[in-house]
Amino acid sequence: MWLSGRLIVVLPLVATFAGGGEAGAATAAVPPPAIIEADFPDPDVIQAGSTFYAYSTSSRAGRIQVAGAPSPTGPWTVRGDALPDKPSWAGDGGFWAPDVTRRADGQYLMYFTGPSTATKRMCIGAALSPTPLGPFRPIGDGPLVCDPAEGGDIDPSSFVDTDGTRYLLYKNDGNAVGRPAIIWLQQVEADGVTFTGPRRELIRNDRPEEAGVIEAPVLVKRPSQYVLFYSGGSYTGNSYFTGYATAPSLAGPYTKAYRPLMTTGTFDGAVQGPGGTDVLGERVYFHGWVGNARWMYTADLGWAGDYPVVRGSRVRYEAERGTVNHAEVRTGAAGASQGAVVAKLDHADSWVDIRVFAPVGGAYTANVAYAAGYGDAQHTLTVNGSAQATVDYPDRGWDNWTQVQATVNLVAGWNTLRLRHLTRWAELDYVELA
């Protein structure tokens, strides 16, 4: 629309998540801390009273490791094995990805993945304990879910909807047998082990970056939608990541985010292969490789319009989806993110406003992707109307999209970054915020 002789272009803001480093990438402003500096993969975290408990895949400390802490960030102490006696149906080998919740009857229910002697596949079992530390005692003489034809079944997770209905999520391990890997939703009774009705498919492995693998589902209900966190890629290296999908209803359909939520690249290498993610309140817990072990990390979690934002993990905001004044959106830009940029920011009153979200207030690094081909250029950067920096754009050629960085102080929640013409000419592709 036109206002006082100026062209105002207003486009909906879409925050997408960067999947890797770009030229000129910088270290994240607030890397997530490692809170258990020992092998503690696939963490699941709960709160019982004033104490926090974490459970993990098998390691030296036990079949199902359990740790305790007085606060979400620690200090965490590994307390031993929460499942000292393996179930009668299980053979030797590792036990994976436990999930613990408190039932309405006060008992603590654990789901776990273990090796079935009958099927030679990994299957899902259940155990009970009156206390979070255990010992948990296996339930029944066989697995809870075990279908060798679909590769076995792994990575169980509990979800209780706002109406009190309980569900079990899990993955059939199809990638182990050349079949689709699917995240399933199964309604259960209040005991967590009695199934009600058929299971329902939520998502499957259908994206190139997943390399045939999706796993580790965790479901969260937000006011406007359901958010399904999952891990993708091979857990053995840096390509492992945490993604998410959203749906307007529990049954779906679920739409995967354009970019993963957490990758080695979005953390600028501060965490290697972030995955096995769990959500508790306004925090995420996940593992990352350090040498031959997977340490447990945590980070602040915020919600931008009911979409997750993790502090320290880069979020990409496309400049062309901001508010543009006395400039133009140029499409078909070679090599640009999503093929569009803001161009002709050539005048004293040329600017673009980009709304960004901060899970908590503080200092962040804004990585600005630009191209400049007629000499070095500059923009002024303001945050919520207050001047904070001059952004310098070295001349590296048009359509050669490069990142420069600036430190910005943000308030918790939504903030407006304005990049305004100062000297010469530069085009803007996006801002990534860490």
Side-chain angles (χ1 to χ4, degrees), residues 36 40 43-46 52-56 65-69 76 296:
I36 295 183
F40 205 86
D44 175 73
V45 181
I46 67 169
F52 293 81
Y53 298 92
Y55 308 85
S56 91
Q65 297 183 98
V66 59
W76 285 88
M296 186 170 90

Side-chain angles (χ1 to χ4, degrees), residues 149-193:
E150 61 183 19
D153 300 277
I154 68 172
D155 291 0
S157 175
S158 297
F159 173 69
V160 179
D161 209 346
T162 50
D163 64 359
T165 306
R166 180 180 278 268
Y167 297 87
L168 165 66
L169 294 98
Y170 65 92
K171 167 213 173 166
N172 73 278
D173 204 12
N175 50 273
V177 293
R179 297 190 59 184
I182 299 171
I183 302 298
W184 298 97
L185 179 73
Q186 173 67 63
Q187 184 176 341
V188 293
E189 298 290 351
D191 62 6
V193 295

Side-chain angles (χ1 to χ4, degrees), residues 295-310:
W295 292 5
M296 186 170 90
Y297 293 81
T298 189
D300 293 306
L301 173 66
W303 296 94
D306 286 338
Y307 292 89
V309 178
V310 173

Side-chain angles (χ1 to χ4, degrees), residues 158-434:
S158 297
F159 173 69
V160 179
D161 209 346
T162 50
D163 64 359
T165 306
R166 180 180 278 268
Y167 297 87
L168 165 66
L169 294 98
Y170 65 92
K171 167 213 173 166
N172 73 278
D173 204 12
N175 50 273
V177 293
R179 297 190 59 184
I182 299 171
I183 302 298
W184 298 97
L185 179 73
Q186 173 67 63
Q187 184 176 341
V188 293
E189 298 290 351
D191 62 6
V193 295
T194 302
F195 290 3
T196 300
R199 66 182 183 176
R200 181 184 296 272
E201 178 180 335
L202 300 186
I203 59 173
R204 63 172 59 200
N205 54 340
D206 56 8
R207 297 274 286 266
E209 68 270 18
E210 295 163 356
V213 180
I214 60 169
E215 55 195 21
V218 170
L219 190 60
V220 173
K221 175 67 169 66
R222 297 295 301 170
S224 67
Q225 62 184 359
Y226 291 82
V227 181
L228 175 65
F229 296 83
Y230 68 96
S231 296
S234 172
Y235 80 94
T236 59
N238 290 346
S239 63
Y240 203 51
F241 67 87
T242 296
Y244 70 95
T246 60
S249 67
L250 180 63
Y254 283 80
T255 301
K256 293 178 181 177
Y258 179 70
R259 294 177 182 272
L261 178 62
M262 298 187 294
T263 71
T264 302
T266 65
F267 282 126
D268 293 317
V271 182
Q272 307 290 309
T277 300
D278 192 28
V279 176
L280 180 65
E282 300 305 304
R283 304 199 70 82
V284 288
Y285 296 86
F286 50 96
H287 70 239
W289 285 102
V290 178
N292 294 321
R294 285 174 285 173
W295 292 5
M296 186 170 90
Y297 293 81
T298 189
D300 293 306
L301 173 66
W303 296 94
D306 286 338
Y307 292 89
V309 178
V310 173
R311 189 174 193 193
S313 181
R314 289 188 182 208
V315 185
R316 181 175 295 184
Y317 300 89
E318 298 288 341
E320 71 274 9
R321 295 178 183 269
T323 303
V324 179
N325 187 72
H326 205 169
E328 295 181 4
V329 172
R330 179 168 72 89
T331 58
S337 174
Q338 301 192 42
V341 300
V342 177
K344 296 189 177 180
L345 286 154
D346 300 344
H347 312 281
D349 61 347
S350 295
W351 46 257
V352 56
D353 281 353
I354 303 172
R355 294 185 71 219
V356 301
F357 187 85
V360 295
Y364 289 76
T365 299
N367 298 277
V368 184
Y370 78 97
Y374 291 146
D376 297 348
Q378 293 177 312
H379 286 164
T380 57
L381 172 61
T382 61
V383 179
N384 301 325
S386 299
Q388 290 206 0
T390 297
V391 183
D392 296 307
Y393 305 120
D395 180 350
R396 293 181 178 169
W398 295 116
D399 287 336
N400 181 18
W401 305 103
T402 307
Q403 287 190 9
V404 293
Q405 63 180 248
T407 299
V408 291
N409 292 305
L410 305 179
V411 299
W414 288 102
N415 297 258
T416 299
L417 306 185
R418 174 170 292 185
L419 288 155
R420 186 181 190 120
H421 174 270
L422 182 59
T423 65
R424 300 189 74 85
W425 310 282
E427 296 183 338
L428 296 180
D429 189 2
Y430 58 82
V431 172
E432 285 183 351
L433 194 70

